[in-house]
């Protein structure tokens, strides 16, 4: 139960003429960064009256919440709360669990995400990237979000889970529905998508349970066989993981690629620097993660009263961690925190979270983005917008729905392709 909020009595109230609508999907699909900057300076632990939750703007506060699951629980919901509906929870899913169950689940699932297993995916990833780019006609424009950014992570997930890669379009429909419940343009109902997703993966899991795919080495097969201290993942655990991987592994990586490219379009000097020095691409991927923050936020619920920066967060109240604000915190990233710098190092961003719920697939996302940008920048010497960028109306992952661009091919594409590896 969320109670009406009381600031600590000693706190002098700071006036903000028009509080930003931190509960609104449209806010996150627009340009939230000026509002973040203002709130970091004036009200870094701010109360949203409309939906009744706290929002955290500062890097260290978000690290504190992320690394204290006993104080801030994931089990009561991780999305911006809406008083009109109960905060959705998928009970038992990794992302909705706290220790000690969370540690056991994560240990089991980690067996499918070792550094070695991720590294061996690179040839397939590069082949997927080249297939998408080969289909582009440099003489005309192209829809970047749909034709370039989307295919790579979706096909990779199909490959990881042992599903036919021709199902990638269906995967994307499910993923869009799962994160775009506030977007009127997403036609498939969230609950319908979940039902279809479960039915699809129930069949794949059954094939692995009964030995029909005994020799398969895909991630789902690894997880079916994984065992820690004599305990295996249940079918329900596996189904929930498939949903988590589909959403987290598809939407976030696809948006990282699209938003990272958009950042380069808006910063042509950085684009030229990367083309001249492709060895900087891994560092640039970290900067795209920081600068664009593909996951806008996540929420926790206070398990007891906690004071932060003079504000009293009461037991049962929700706390939303604004990663996009933390990743531009001047106290951490200095006077260039609002600037794109593909040479930034070190870069301790929170785009993958931290603590107990840091992203399991972070290394895979980094690999996918690195490979795509290596191929893209080697082939094309210029990219420019060719229309309006449309974002999905969502509070957590306001993805890129449309991003028309024009590309100019490099003068020697054969040499460019060789340079990409």
């Amino acid at each position: 139960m969320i109670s009406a909020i009381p600031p600590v009595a000693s706190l002098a109230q700071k006036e903000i003429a028009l509080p930003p609508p931190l509960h609104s999907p449209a806010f996150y699909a627009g340009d939230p960064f000026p509002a973040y900057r203002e709130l970091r300076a004036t009200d870094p632990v701010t109360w949203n009256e409309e939906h009744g939750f706290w929002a955290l703007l500062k890097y260290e506060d978000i690290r504190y919440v992320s690394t204290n699951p006993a104080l801030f629980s994931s089990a009561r919901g991780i999305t911006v709360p809406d008083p009109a509906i109960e905060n959705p929870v998928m009970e038992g899913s990794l992302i909705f669990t706290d220790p000690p169950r969370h540690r056991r689940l994560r240990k089991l699932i980690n067996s499918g995400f070792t550094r070695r297993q991720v590294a061996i995916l690179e040839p397939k990833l590069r082949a997927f990237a080249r297939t998408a780019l080969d289909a582009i006609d440099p003489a005309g424009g192209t829809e970047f979000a749909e034709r370039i950014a989307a295919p790579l992570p979706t096909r990779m997930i199909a490959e990881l889970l042992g599903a036919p890669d021709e199902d990638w379009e269906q995967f994307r429909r499910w993923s869009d529905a799962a994160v775009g419940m506030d977007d009127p343009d997403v036609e498939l109902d969230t609950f319908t998508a979940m039902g279809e997703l479960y039915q699809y993966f129930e069949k794949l899991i059954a094939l692995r349970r009964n030995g029909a795919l005994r020799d398969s080495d895909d991630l789902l097969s690894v997880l079916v066989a994984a065992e820690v201290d004599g305990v295996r993942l249940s079918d329900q655990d596996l189904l929930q993981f498939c949903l988590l991987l589909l959403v987290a592994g598809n939407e976030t990586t696809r948006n990282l690629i699209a938003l990272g490219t958009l950042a380069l379009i808006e910063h042509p000097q950085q684009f030229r620097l990367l083309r001249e020095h492709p060895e900087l691409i891994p560092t640039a991927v970290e900067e795209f993660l920081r600068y664009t923050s593909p996951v806008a936020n996540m929420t926790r619920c206070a398990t007891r009263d906690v004071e932060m920066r003079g504000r009293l967060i009461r037991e049962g109240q929700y706390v939303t961690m604004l990663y996009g604000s933390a990743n531009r915190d001047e106290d951490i990233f200095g006077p260039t925190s609002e600037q794109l710098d593909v040479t930034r190092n070190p870069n301790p961003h929170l785009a993958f979270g931290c603590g107990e719920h840091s992203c399991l697939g972070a290394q895979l996302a980094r690999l996918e983005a690195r490979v795509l940008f290596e191929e893209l920048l080697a082939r094309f010497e210029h990219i420019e917008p060719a229309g309006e960028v449309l974002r999905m109306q969502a509070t957590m992952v306001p993805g890129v729905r449309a991003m028309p661009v024009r590309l100019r091919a490099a003068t020697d594409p054969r040499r460019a392709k060789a340079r990409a590896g």
Side-chain angles (χ1 to χ4, degrees), residues 154-227:
T154 316
R155 290 182 179 180
M156 197 67 250
I157 290 168
E159 180 76 23
L160 277 172
L161 294 176
D165 63 286
E166 60 265 23
D167 288 346
W168 78 274
E169 181 62 37
Q170 181 61 56
F171 275 39
R172 187 168 59 179
R173 288 181 67 245
W174 288 328
S175 184
D176 284 351
V179 301
M181 59 192 311
D182 295 314
D183 193 317
D185 293 329
V186 176
E187 297 178 0
L188 185 62
D189 174 75
T190 299
F191 296 103
T192 301
M194 302 277 267
E196 292 178 3
L197 172 70
Y198 273 27
Q199 289 177 6
Y200 184 91
F201 284 114
E202 278 174 349
K203 296 175 183 177
L204 294 186
I205 292 168
L207 288 172
R208 286 153 180 78
R209 291 282 195 210
N210 64 26
L213 296 175
R214 192 185 311 276
D215 297 327
S216 179
D217 60 355
D218 59 74
L219 177 60
L220 193 54
S221 296
V222 171
L223 294 179
V224 165
E227 186 174 303

Side-chain angles (χ1 to χ4, degrees), residues 140-340:
T142 189
E143 213 309 294
F144 190 94
E146 293 295 315
R147 296 192 61 191
I148 299 176
L152 181 67
T154 316
R155 290 182 179 180
M156 197 67 250
I157 290 168
E159 180 76 23
L160 277 172
L161 294 176
D165 63 286
E166 60 265 23
D167 288 346
W168 78 274
E169 181 62 37
Q170 181 61 56
F171 275 39
R172 187 168 59 179
R173 288 181 67 245
W174 288 328
S175 184
D176 284 351
V179 301
M181 59 192 311
D182 295 314
D183 193 317
D185 293 329
V186 176
E187 297 178 0
L188 185 62
D189 174 75
T190 299
F191 296 103
T192 301
M194 302 277 267
E196 292 178 3
L197 172 70
Y198 273 27
Q199 289 177 6
Y200 184 91
F201 284 114
E202 278 174 349
K203 296 175 183 177
L204 294 186
I205 292 168
L207 288 172
R208 286 153 180 78
R209 291 282 195 210
N210 64 26
L213 296 175
R214 192 185 311 276
D215 297 327
S216 179
D217 60 355
D218 59 74
L219 177 60
L220 193 54
S221 296
V222 171
L223 294 179
V224 165
E227 186 174 303
V228 175
D229 299 328
V231 178
R232 291 190 174 187
L233 292 168
S234 68
D235 284 4
Q236 186 65 19
D237 291 333
L238 291 166
L239 286 168
Q240 290 173 339
F241 172 73
C242 288
L243 173 63
L244 178 60
L245 181 62
L246 178 62
V247 175
N250 177 19
E251 293 293 332
T252 55
T253 306
R254 137 189 189 188
N255 293 321
L256 165 61
I257 292 168
L259 293 173
T261 302
L262 182 60
L264 288 179
I265 291 172
E266 294 171 344
H267 299 81
Q269 287 185 321
Q270 299 286 292
F271 182 92
R272 287 193 295 271
L273 180 61
L274 278 187
R275 290 207 76 245
E276 293 168 3
H277 297 279
E279 70 276 9
L280 288 174
I281 289 176
T283 305
V285 168
E286 298 304 313
E287 179 68 347
F288 298 150
L289 285 160
R290 183 197 73 86
Y291 186 78
T292 69
S293 295
V295 177
N297 57 67
M298 280 199 181
T299 296
R300 302 286 184 262
C301 186
T303 61
R304 59 177 182 266
D305 290 0
V306 183
E307 186 175 330
M308 297 184 70
R309 297 185 188 269
R311 293 282 202 169
L312 180 61
I313 299 171
R314 296 197 182 279
E315 178 183 350
Q317 289 179 334
Y318 285 99
V319 175
T320 295
M321 302 176 288
L322 300 177
Y323 297 130
S325 177
N327 285 336
R328 298 196 184 189
D329 189 338
E330 302 82 356
D331 290 344
I332 304 299
F333 299 100
T336 64
S337 62
E338 297 283 350
Q339 300 172 20
L340 181 73

